[in-house]
Amino acid sequence: MKKQFFALFMSAVLMGSLTACNSSTPEATTAAATEAETKEGAEAGGKVLVMATNAEFPPYEYHDGGEIVGIDVEISQAIAEKLGMTLEIEDIAFDSIIPELQSGKADMGAAGMTVDEDRLKNVDFSDPYTTASQVIIVKNDSDITGPDDLAGKYIGVQLGTTGDIYASDYEEQDATIERYNKGFEAVQAMVQGKIDAVVIDVEPAKVFVSQTEGIKILDEALTVEEYAIAVKKGNTELLEKINAALAELKESGELQAIIDKYISAE
Ligand code: ARG
């Protein structure tokens, strides 16, 4: 992975500048830029804090131009600063984040990740930094008006998410689960009439609905969840540092300010 990033960085340099890299994917551009920062950080003697995420989840992490931005990115940056480390973002599939932590390739997972019993067998979670819920998105003219109507339907989710876990319960009631790599792909599939509903976290749901004609979020939330930062199981040293940093960010109001920057109060 590192080598690949470096190669991309070098080819960007050969092309003249990072901005000349327009034809490449946003991931590649960001990876290259991040690698450049990491090199500087390493030269300055700073240690690198590798954050694994899946930047398909606005407003927590998403692509904006060639950059990865969002609530989790800013929280992680603030944590890295407090730890005297340089943040490096690794944008991977959501269901690869836990394996990436287990193998030690990434230090922490910050991806709107819900604290969940099963995940706790494989990773440790920090103190929660926010709460969330799963909601149902449907077309405006859908006959689905609440969770009970999901029986027998085609439900789209992002692979490996709590939405996936929750929706899968409806398989017993003859629902079919369609698992997509990105939440927005599920939304697009629904607009195209391929599936009947999407189950996803409330804040990305709001963003996707605001960007798409003719769809809405049903009032009834399906779950209450807490987001936290994941680390490799047993990495107590890092976990304690992250918790201490999070506590300071909560105390100073910085955490709330970051959230408010991306989510307007209702
Ligand atoms: N909260 C959900 C979960 O933990 C969805 C998170 C998806 N995050 C992302 N960056 N794609 O399963």
Side-chain angles (χ1 to χ4, degrees):
M1 188 68 101
K2 278 243 165 82
K3 254 185 208 151
Q4 237 174 313
F5 283 1
F6 189 61
L8 285 166
F9 175 54
M10 286 313 290
S11 59
V13 168
L14 291 175
M15 280 168 75
S17 77
L18 287 175
T19 47
C21 206
N22 275 341
S23 59
S24 73
T25 63
E27 283 99 315
T29 312
T30 308
T34 309
E35 180 71 2
E37 280 158 26
T38 301
K39 296 240 171 293
E40 278 163 29
E43 272 158 31
K47 284 203 185 135
V48 174
L49 183 67
V50 181
M51 160 192 175
T53 195
N54 170 248
E56 304 296 340
F57 200 67
Y60 295 95
E61 45 269 334
Y62 57 101
H63 295 276
D64 185 12
E67 256 190 296
I68 294 174
V69 298
I71 294 170
D72 289 330
V73 176
E74 295 207 19
I75 292 175
S76 300
Q77 234 139 23
I79 291 173
E81 251 165 63
K82 287 191 183 290
L83 269 52
M85 297 171 88
T86 307
L87 190 72
E88 179 182 320
I89 301 174
E90 216 180 78
D91 182 23
I92 57 179
F94 183 73
D95 66 340
S96 297
I97 296 175
I98 288 180
E100 200 77 353
L101 296 173
Q102 289 178 305
S103 72
K105 283 190 208 143
D107 301 305
M108 63 181 215
M113 248 184 150
T114 302
V115 181
D116 158 272
E117 285 297 313
D118 273 333
R119 290 177 184 164
L120 276 167
K121 292 176 193 155
N122 300 311
V123 289
D124 288 331
F125 278 105
S126 72
D127 296 328
Y129 56 88
T130 196
T131 55
S133 60
Q134 297 297 310
V135 295
I136 304 170
I137 309 176
V138 293
K139 281 194 184 178
N140 285 345
D141 60 2
S142 172
D143 59 349
I144 301 172
T145 59
D148 291 344
D149 298 332
L150 290 175
K153 300 291 187 190
Y154 283 80
I155 311 170
V157 297
Q158 185 183 15
L159 175 71
T161 59
T162 46
D164 184 354
I165 297 167
Y166 184 87
S168 297
D169 285 348
Y170 286 88
E171 279 172 331
E172 282 164 31
Q173 297 173 53
D174 293 328
T176 307
I177 312 304
E178 297 289 346
R179 299 177 176 87
Y180 299 85
N181 290 322
K182 305 175 181 183
F184 193 60
E185 286 173 358
V187 172
Q188 287 170 314
M190 188 180 71
V191 170
Q192 292 160 12
K194 292 179 186 158
I195 55 173
D196 303 306
V198 175
V199 173
I200 194 163
D201 302 53
V202 61
E203 292 303 331
K206 285 186 197 163
V207 175
F208 296 152
V209 166
S210 77
Q211 293 170 348
T212 314
E213 289 281 306
I215 63 172
K216 62 180 181 187
I217 299 172
L218 297 183
D219 287 337
E220 194 177 335
L222 305 178
T223 59
V224 179
E225 308 183 359
E226 285 184 320
Y227 290 172
I229 293 172
V231 300
K232 184 178 186 162
K233 192 134 205 73
N235 192 353
T236 325
E237 197 192 326
L238 179 60
L239 193 65
E240 278 170 7
K241 286 184 189 164
I242 291 174
N243 278 337
L246 273 177
E248 282 176 26
L249 292 171
K250 283 178 192 169
E251 178 72 29
S252 68
E254 236 175 298
L255 179 72
Q256 194 56 48
I258 292 172
I259 293 173
D260 291 347
K261 182 174 156 188
Y262 289 90
I263 301 175
S264 50
E266 275 128 68

